[in-house]
Amino acid sequence: MKTFLLHISVLFFVANGYSQDSSLKALVGGTLIDGFGSNPIKNSVVIIEGEKIKTVGTVDTTPIPQGAEVISTEGMTVLPGLWDMHVHTMITGHADYAYWDQTYPPLFKDVIMPASAHQLLMAGVTSARDLGGPLEESIAVRDAINKGDIPGATLYVSGPFIQHKPYPGTEDFRWGVNGAEDGRKKIRKLAKAGVDVIKLIDQDQMTLEEVQAVVDEAHKYNLKVVAHGHRPEEIRRGLQTGADCFEHTGLSSAPRYPDDVMEMIKERTADMSQGPLFWCPTVEGLYNYEYVRDNPEKLDNDSWHRGLPDSVIVDIKKSIAHPDRLPYFQLTPSRKPTLETKINQLLDAGVVLMIGTDSGIPMKFHSQSTWNELDVWVNEFGIDPMYAIRAATYWPALWMGVAEEVGTVTPGKYADIIAVDGDVLRYISLLQDVDMVIKHGKRYK
C-alpha cells in the first residue's frame, strides 16, 4: 500500500506539470545497509541533492521533494559504494610482468590507468587505494578523476613502491632506498608530489634503520604506511617501526604465522592508543586460481575490455591462454590451504580486516576482483557478510581519513551509493553484477 501511494504521488507531480530537478534524486523502496553495521533499513528513502546525501529515512517518514528524480530501488539492496584497498591500475591481468613493464608504460597515463579506474567504478567500487605506480601518471589520473575529466573510482595513490632495490627495468615505479637519509629523501619527494599514502615492500631486505626512517618521515607528513606482510620478517619490521596497515596473507606455504609474530600482533592490537591494526589479506587471487585454471571460460567475461584498445585486449588474452602454465601461480595450490588459517589468526588477534584484492595481477581484472574477494570471505571462510561489507565501506574510509565524506550512507556525505537486485546479506555474490552506481551524486550505471 505504501509503495502504491508513493507511485500515485509521483504520477501526481508529473501530471500536474511539476518539472524534475536534475540535482535532486530520491532512491525509494530498497533495503538500506548504511555501513554502520546495524540492521538494514527496510523501505528506505535516500534523498540526494547535488553531490551529497541530504536525507536518509523510510517511505513512512521521508517525503519525496517536489521535482526530484525518483529511482525505484524496490527489491534491491542499497549500500555505500565499495572500496578496494589494494589495486594496481597500471596493470590489468597480463601474465608477463617483464613484458608489460617494457611495453606499456607509454599507455599508462592516457589508456591503461584510466581504463582500470573506470572498470572499478562500473563494478561498484567508488573508491580505491592504488598501491605502486609511476608517480606522475598516478597523480595525473587521480586528479583527472577528481576534476570530473574522466570517469573512475576515486583513487588514493602511493606512487612508486619503496623497497631495498628496484627490479631491473622497474625504476619508474619502484624506488630503492640506500641508507636512512636516502629513505627520508624519497618520502619527502613523494609527499611534495602529493601522494596519499606510502607503499613499503620487501622491508625485510632493508636495514631496520632504513625502515624506521621511511615510516617516521611518512608520519611526519601525515602519510600512512602500507607494508607488505608476505614474510614473517616483513611483519616483524613493520610492527617494530609503526606501519599502519599490512597487505597479503603471505606467499609462503607455511601453515600458520609464527608464534612470535602473533604475539607481536596481539601486543599491537592491545595498544589502542594507536587505534586498530588494519590488514588487507588479498586472498581471492590465490584462492580462486585453481577454479579459474580449470574453468577458463570465466576469463571470457568482456567487462575487463572496457577502455582498452583491441590490441591490448588481444595481448592480454594471449598471455593467459594457458592458465595452467603460468609461473606466477605454480606454488599456489600449496599456499591455498593456509589462507583461511591465517585470516582466522588475524581475526582472533583483534586485527581489523579490509577488502583489498591485488587487482591487476595475472588473470585478475579490475571489473571482477572486488566481488570475488567478498565472495571468498563470506562463502568459503564463513566471515559474517555484514563484517565483509563494512570491510569494503566503513573501515577503508576511516583508515584513509575521509570518513566524514564517504564510507556510509549518511546525510552530509558524498552520495557514493550502489544498489543490487536482491539480498546481498544472503547472497553476497550478487555484487558481481551491480545494478546501480552513483558517485558524488552522478549516476554512472
Side-chain angles (χ1 to χ4, degrees):
M1 184 64 177
K2 298 172 188 172
T3 302
F4 174 75
L5 291 175
L6 175 64
H7 287 172
I8 290 296
S9 66
V10 172
L11 290 172
F12 173 81
F13 285 135
V14 174
N16 286 275
Y18 290 98
S19 62
Q20 193 175 80
D21 183 348
S22 61
S23 70
L24 275 175
K25 296 180 179 67
L27 312 183
V28 182
T31 297
L32 173 64
I33 298 173
D34 63 12
F36 288 105
S38 57
N39 288 333
I41 301 170
K42 305 286 188 180
N43 298 311
S44 67
V45 173
V46 180
I47 307 297
I48 300 169
E49 184 173 34
E51 296 185 329
K52 301 289 186 74
I53 299 166
K54 183 178 182 181
T55 309
V56 176
T58 66
V59 170
D60 282 337
T61 63
T62 307
I64 308 302
Q66 181 176 312
E69 176 191 359
V70 177
I71 301 171
S72 174
T73 54
E74 289 183 61
M76 305 176 82
T77 304
V78 180
L79 62 159
L82 302 177
W83 286 65
D84 193 318
M85 291 293 274
H86 193 125
V87 305
H88 300 292
T89 63
M90 61 166 275
I91 53 178
T92 181
H94 198 285
D96 187 340
Y97 282 166
Y99 169 84
W100 185 268
D101 295 343
Q102 182 181 22
T103 305
Y104 287 107
L107 296 183
F108 282 171
K109 184 171 74 170
D110 296 323
V111 178
I112 303 297
M113 297 169 78
S116 299
H118 195 188
Q119 289 174 22
L120 286 165
L121 179 63
M122 299 307 286
V125 179
T126 54
S127 302
R129 201 172 58 178
D130 191 8
L131 300 177
L135 180 57
E136 179 184 344
E137 291 87 337
S138 296
I139 297 291
V141 173
R142 178 199 67 185
D143 291 353
I145 292 169
N146 289 342
K147 292 174 184 175
D149 294 340
I150 59 174
T154 298
L155 297 179
Y156 298 87
V157 303
S158 71
F161 300 90
I162 298 297
Q163 59 190 110
H164 170 62
K165 187 177 181 180
Y167 314 143
T170 66
E171 291 81 4
D172 282 347
F173 50 89
R174 294 181 182 273
W175 289 1
V177 169
N178 184 17
E181 181 53 36
D182 185 53
R184 285 188 283 267
K185 181 179 178 181
K186 295 287 194 329
I187 299 305
R188 286 195 292 269
K189 184 174 182 179
L190 291 172
K192 184 178 180 180
V195 301
D196 303 292
V197 65
I198 299 298
K199 176 64 186 298
L200 177 64
I201 72 169
D202 296 343
Q203 62 268 21
D204 55 345
Q205 298 173 20
M206 301 165 66
T207 67
L208 188 59
E209 183 184 19
E210 289 171 337
V211 179
Q212 191 70 67
V214 166
V215 174
D216 287 348
E217 196 71 13
H219 289 169
K220 178 180 174 181
Y221 287 93
N222 295 317
L223 294 170
K224 291 183 176 179
V225 177
V226 180
H228 258 197
H230 278 310
R231 298 180 293 275
E233 188 59 23
E234 285 185 306
I235 301 171
R236 294 186 188 103
R237 295 205 175 184
L239 289 168
Q240 283 178 284
T241 56
D244 302 285
C245 185
F246 289 88
E247 307 299 293
H248 314 299
T249 48
L251 290 178
S252 167
S253 56
R256 303 173 58 85
Y257 289 121
D259 290 343
D260 73 295
V261 168
M262 292 309 305
E263 286 305 312
M264 292 180 72
I265 291 172
K266 290 175 184 177
E267 184 176 347
R268 167 63 181 81
T269 58
D271 180 10
M272 286 304 293
S273 65
Q274 300 180 63
L277 176 61
F278 292 89
W279 208 295
C280 291
T282 69
V283 295
E284 183 272 318
L286 296 177
Y287 193 89
N288 282 335
Y289 164 67
E290 290 172 286
Y291 182 84
V292 174
R293 178 197 65 193
D294 299 336
N295 299 273
E297 62 271 14
K298 292 290 182 180
L299 301 174
D300 292 335
N301 184 311
D302 64 3
S303 59
W304 62 267
H305 298 183
R306 182 185 297 273
L308 297 175
D310 289 344
S311 59
V312 177
I313 295 168
V314 170
D315 200 359
I316 295 169
K317 285 183 174 181
K318 182 179 178 181
S319 79
I320 59 176
H322 300 283
D324 56 317
R325 303 178 189 175
L326 301 184
Y328 189 93
F329 291 107
Q330 291 308 304
L331 288 175
T332 294
S334 65
R335 293 166 177 159
K336 179 179 176 179
T338 74
L339 300 175
E340 183 175 1
T341 297
K342 290 175 180 175
I343 278 190
N344 284 329
Q345 282 184 282
L346 295 173
L347 287 171
D348 290 345
V351 172
V352 176
L353 303 183
M354 295 190 294
I355 291 291
T357 61
D358 225 1
S359 187
I361 66 172
M363 299 194 301
K364 296 290 108 180
F365 301 110
H366 301 292
S367 60
Q368 302 170 4
S369 296
T370 312
W371 83 262
N372 271 300
E373 184 81 8
L374 285 156
D375 180 65
V376 170
W377 281 30
V378 173
N379 290 322
E380 302 296 337
F381 295 169
I383 292 175
D384 179 74
M386 186 66 84
Y387 182 104
I389 288 171
R390 280 165 52 81
T393 55
Y394 176 86
W395 288 116
L398 186 74
W399 191 93
M400 274 309 316
V402 293
E404 295 302 311
E405 300 176 2
V406 289
T408 60
V409 180
T410 309
K413 295 187 181 182
Y414 284 112
D416 286 7
I417 299 171
I418 65 172
V420 61
D421 192 16
D423 183 353
V424 164
L425 292 179
R426 183 168 183 180
Y427 305 107
I428 197 77
S429 61
L430 289 172
L431 288 169
Q432 68 187 283
D433 188 14
V434 174
D435 293 278
M436 183 181 74
V437 177
I438 294 174
K439 181 191 163 193
H440 283 30
K442 180 178 179 179
R443 186 171 183 180
Y444 289 88
K445 187 177 181 182

